[in-house]
Amino acid sequence: MTALNETTLQRLAQDVGPEMMPLILGKFAEELSSKAEALSVALAAGDLGALSAHAHSLKSTTRTLGLDAAADVAAKTELAALQEARETAVAGAEELMRLCASGQQLVEQALERF
């Protein structure tokens, strides 16, 4: 399971206000799920362009949430897809989908704290 960077999460709470955190975290949990699904569709289609775009989007989302391991894998997956390194991009996308599922659980747990 991936870890949630508590410092990043607390900084987000300071930036948006603790009263907004349930809404923000709920939206991010939904976003992780839908973006991981889009990544899966791109992977199944063998579409490296879409794979790169979805990995890029997930890189931003996961970094904002403090899911640093997922953000790092997203960055590597995006680059591999852009460079048409299919095997590396596919492996990265598969790992990223697993990290998104774990991350979604962590975000839902964090939601209970706010």
Side-chain angles (χ1 to χ4, degrees):
M1 183 175 272
T2 190
L4 187 62
N5 184 319
E6 289 297 325
T7 302
T8 301
L9 192 61
Q10 292 305 319
R11 191 175 314 121
L12 179 61
Q14 288 175 344
D15 290 347
V16 301
E19 67 282 350
M20 291 298 296
M21 284 301 283
L23 177 66
I24 298 289
L25 291 175
K27 291 288 185 188
F28 274 129
E30 291 173 13
E31 198 171 313
L32 282 173
S33 177
S34 67
K35 288 181 179 184
E37 178 60 32
L39 190 66
S40 176
V41 170
L43 186 60
D47 185 343
L48 290 179
L51 196 70
S52 173
H54 296 308
H56 177 82
S57 181
L58 278 164
K59 178 178 65 176
S60 298
T61 299
T62 53
R63 189 72 70 201
T64 299
L65 284 169
L67 295 167
D68 297 335
D72 292 343
V73 170
K76 291 175 186 173
T77 302
E78 176 188 14
L79 182 61
L82 286 171
Q83 294 175 339
E84 298 185 4
R86 185 171 299 279
E87 189 173 311
T88 303
V90 166
E94 290 170 346
E95 182 179 0
L96 185 54
M97 287 186 293
R98 285 189 296 275
L99 290 171
C100 282
S102 295
Q104 184 178 1
Q105 291 175 352
L106 290 171
V107 170
E108 289 170 355
Q109 290 170 0
L111 186 57
E112 295 172 7
R113 296 193 314 253
F114 287 96

